[in-house]
């Protein structure tokens, strides 16, 4: 009997793995091809912006409205965060390298409210600390590898992880998407002096079509209007988190970074448009609807994205493919450019053709003059592979696919050390002054 049960258990796990892999393939189509390094003969970013960077900055609000109308829906500028509850979870977290805490935060705006839990791991060293605020795919319990953290509400759980606690399903996610897809190299982060915070996106807005659509009309928003896409709504939690964290003396308010992977990278770019307190952004493998140009592209198309994830974007986004090759009203180079002058790292994997590193590189090239005009050192590389760790705008590409690896974290932390250097440290060659973009 035990043998039979063991066989049935193994078969069941294989079925689960198969379902998981199919679902993941729908998300990111894991491939074996390499992204092209050549930009010759490929469609240019349209409409062009690099030819007149000052004009782009002068008409920044017009470009934001284009992004809102055709891609993201209204951005959540004007929402706020309020601390509801705070508790210390573990004063000897990660074998004594840190302190683990929880903050229950309310996102507020337009007379509405949405609560979420932000978990924070603090270094044991004296502060104030630079902080990295991230979004998690599988809940805080998995993100911090700590089951005693508050689990997400059952209605917040999505199909990607199937549960909040570290689990068999979560381990399979890590095997496919990399060791650090759900939990960062926590000891490395803490020992480098960084605090690490994270929240579960599906607790803010469920990453599921019908539940998200049902929630969006009641989600808090600012004067720009009602949120119509989850990517934009997820960005609101970054603002709320900053409101609460900046009141904590342990946070170095001059060194606050946000980090997002895949759909969360798209959200990070939205937050960077309006949230001036963000001092650096890591947008890793943002792909279609993030950093990759939308016209005539390999990998995931706008039509495919809009069909699979209609709750992520504005309703108009589904019409993008129908507008023709040369009549797209806005594309992702403008989204990159609207993040200027905030230091921005655009991450990629050479085998992640589905997310189109080549299209992201061409978008970065078109946005680079805007960064320079906004008062930064701008892009300092001539190709997709030679990423300078000190640049304000950097295109990072390592071998491998749609994942988060040790190599990513090593570079990200070195880059953050440079672009968020302490005021009393020797400045890097590029200009670190945060200049408010022209309106």
């Amino acid at each position: 009997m035990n043998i039979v049960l063991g066989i049935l258990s193994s078969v069941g796990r294989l079925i689960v793995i198969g379902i998981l892999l199919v679902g993941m393939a729908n998300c990111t189509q894991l491939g074996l091809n390499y992204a092209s390094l050549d930009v010759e003969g490929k469609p240019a970013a349209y409409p062009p912006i690099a030819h007149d960077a000052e004009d782009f900055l002068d008409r920044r609000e017009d470009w934001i409205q284009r992004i809102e109308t055709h891609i993201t829906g209204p951005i959540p500028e004007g929402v706020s965060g309020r601390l509801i509850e705070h508790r210390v979870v573990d004063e000897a977290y990660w074998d004594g390298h840190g302190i683990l805490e929880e903050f229950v935060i309310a996102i507020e705006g337009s007379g509405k409210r949405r609560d979420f839990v932000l978990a924070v791991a603090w270094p044991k060293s004296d502060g104030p600390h630079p902080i990295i605020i991230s979004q998690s795919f599988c809940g805080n319990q998995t993100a911090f590898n700590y089951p005693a953290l508050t689990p997400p509400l059952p209605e917040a759980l999505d199909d990607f992880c199937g549960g909040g606690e570290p689990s068999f399903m979560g381990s399979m996610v890590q095997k496919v998407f990399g060791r650090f897809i759900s939990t960062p190299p926590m000891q490395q982060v803490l020992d480098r002096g960084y605090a690490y915070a994270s929240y579960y996106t599906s607790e803010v807005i469920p990453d599921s079509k019908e539940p998200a659509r049902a929630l969006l009309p009641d989600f808090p928003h600012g004067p720009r209007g009602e949120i119509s896409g989850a990517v934009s709504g997820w960005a609101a939690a970054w603002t709320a988190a900053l409101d609460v964290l900046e009141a904590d003396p342990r946070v170095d308010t001059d060194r606050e970074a946000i980090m997002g992977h895949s759909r969360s990278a798209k959200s990070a770019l939205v937050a960077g448009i309006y949230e001036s307190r963000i001092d650096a952004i890591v947008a890793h493998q943002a792909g279609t609807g993030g950093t990759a140009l939308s016209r005539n592209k390999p990998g995931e198309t706008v039509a495919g994205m809009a069909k699979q994830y209609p709750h992520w974007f504005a309703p108009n986004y589904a019409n993008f493919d129908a507008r023709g090759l040369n009549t797209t009203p806005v594309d992702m180079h403008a989204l990159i450019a609207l993040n200027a002058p905030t230091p921005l790292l655009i991450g990629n994997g050479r085998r992640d053709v589905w997310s189109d590193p080549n299209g992201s590189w061409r978008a970065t090239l078109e946005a680079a003059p805007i960064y320079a005009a906004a008062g930064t050192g701008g892009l300092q590389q001539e190709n997709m592979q030679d990423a300078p760790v000190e640049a304000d705008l950097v295109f990072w590409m390592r071998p491998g696919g749609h994942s988060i690896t040790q190599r990513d974290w090593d570079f990200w932390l070195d880059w953050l050390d440079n672009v968020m250097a302490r005021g009393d440290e020797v400045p890097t060659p590029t200009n670190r002054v945060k200049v408010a973009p022209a309106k």
Side-chain angles (χ1 to χ4, degrees):
M1 178 62 71
N2 288 338
I3 294 175
V4 173
L5 291 175
I7 292 172
L8 289 175
S9 176
S10 297
V11 170
R13 288 193 170 213
L14 288 173
I15 292 172
V16 170
I17 292 171
I19 294 171
L20 180 65
L21 292 176
V22 169
M24 290 175 179
N26 285 336
C27 176
T28 187
Q29 294 294 329
L30 307 173
L32 300 177
N33 296 328
Y34 288 100
S36 170
L37 302 179
D38 187 9
V39 300
E40 296 298 325
K42 302 223 171 21
Y46 186 90
I49 59 175
H51 64 289
D52 195 341
E54 294 294 343
D55 177 70
F56 181 90
L57 291 174
D58 287 342
R59 296 193 298 118
R60 189 173 186 273
E61 178 59 33
D62 294 340
W63 285 98
I64 291 175
Q65 290 179 10
R66 291 194 202 188
I67 292 288
E68 289 181 313
T69 299
H70 300 290
I71 301 178
T72 65
I75 60 177
E77 185 176 24
V79 299
S80 62
R82 179 166 58 90
L83 179 63
I84 303 300
E85 183 181 346
H86 167 251
R87 73 184 183 104
V88 177
V89 179
D90 190 345
E91 293 185 344
Y93 174 61
W94 212 270
D95 293 330
H97 288 267
I99 301 169
L100 184 61
E101 300 179 3
E102 283 187 325
F103 297 77
V104 180
I105 298 174
I107 307 171
E108 296 180 325
S110 59
K112 300 170 183 177
R113 168 178 163 179
R114 182 73 176 175
D115 293 359
F116 70 100
V117 180
L118 180 78
V120 184
W122 303 95
K124 277 294 187 72
S125 57
D126 293 336
H129 306 288
I131 190 166
I132 300 168
I133 312 172
S134 181
Q135 296 178 346
S136 73
F137 293 103
C138 298
N140 291 342
Q141 292 167 303
T142 298
F144 291 83
N145 195 30
Y146 203 92
L149 286 171
T150 302
L153 297 174
E155 58 266 29
L157 297 175
D158 57 38
D159 297 332
F160 187 79
C161 292
E165 293 189 33
S167 63
F168 166 73
M169 191 74 77
S171 68
M172 290 310 304
V173 169
Q174 290 188 9
K175 288 183 184 300
V176 175
F177 286 109
R179 178 183 171 192
F180 301 121
I181 185 66
S182 53
T183 305
M186 195 66 76
Q187 183 173 333
Q188 179 184 9
V189 172
L190 292 171
D191 288 352
R192 288 280 285 263
Y194 286 87
Y196 181 85
S198 187
Y199 59 92
Y200 183 35
T201 52
S202 287
E203 192 171 42
V204 177
I205 296 177
D207 189 16
S208 187
K209 300 176 188 177
E210 297 310 318
R213 284 169 163 168
L215 173 63
L216 284 170
D218 292 322
F219 193 81
H221 63 79
R224 303 189 74 92
E226 186 176 289
I227 303 297
S228 61
V231 166
S232 186
W234 292 331
W238 262 310
T239 283
L242 285 168
D243 284 345
V244 170
L245 289 171
E246 288 204 334
D248 194 309
R250 293 172 293 179
V251 172
D252 184 341
T253 57
D254 291 325
R255 296 192 294 165
E256 299 170 319
I258 65 172
M259 189 277 282
H261 168 60
S262 197
R263 67 192 185 216
S264 293
K266 308 179 205 297
S267 181
L269 292 163
V270 172
I273 291 178
Y274 70 92
E275 185 51 82
S276 62
R277 292 174 297 179
I278 296 170
D279 299 297
I281 301 169
V282 175
H284 185 55
Q285 296 179 311
T288 304
T291 54
L293 296 176
S294 301
R295 296 186 302 123
N296 192 24
K297 66 187 294 299
E300 189 159 37
T301 64
V302 171
M305 178 75 76
K307 181 179 180 180
Q308 186 73 22
Y309 311 108
H311 57 294
W312 284 7
F313 300 104
N316 281 343
Y317 188 64
N319 300 324
F320 217 120
D321 274 4
R323 297 182 185 277
L325 287 181
N326 296 302
T327 56
T328 51
V330 67
D331 212 338
M332 311 322 297
H333 59 304
L335 181 58
I336 295 171
L338 286 169
N339 277 266
T342 304
L344 172 62
L345 186 154
I346 298 172
N348 299 269
R350 180 77 191 277
R351 286 187 182 271
D352 187 22
V353 179
W354 191 247
S355 294
D356 190 13
N358 188 280
S360 291
W361 171 242
R362 286 179 283 126
T364 304
L365 289 174
E366 184 71 14
I370 313 302
Y371 260 79
T376 79
L379 191 69
Q380 298 178 32
Q381 61 193 102
E382 297 182 354
N383 58 62
M384 299 168 66
Q385 294 182 297
D386 295 334
V389 75
E390 73 278 359
D392 296 284
L393 177 62
V394 62
F395 186 93
W396 160 248
M397 186 170 71
R398 46 102 179 116
H402 198 76
S403 60
I404 299 178
T405 69
Q406 182 66 61
R407 188 168 177 175
D408 289 322
W409 271 104
D410 289 344
F411 187 87
W412 297 349
L413 290 172
D414 286 345
W415 180 74
L416 289 172
D417 282 349
N418 275 282
V419 301
M420 299 199 304
R422 291 180 182 272
D424 57 352
E425 292 177 352
V426 177
T428 53
T430 52
N431 183 359
R432 299 297 175 213
V433 178
K434 287 203 71 176
V435 181
K439 299 295 184 184

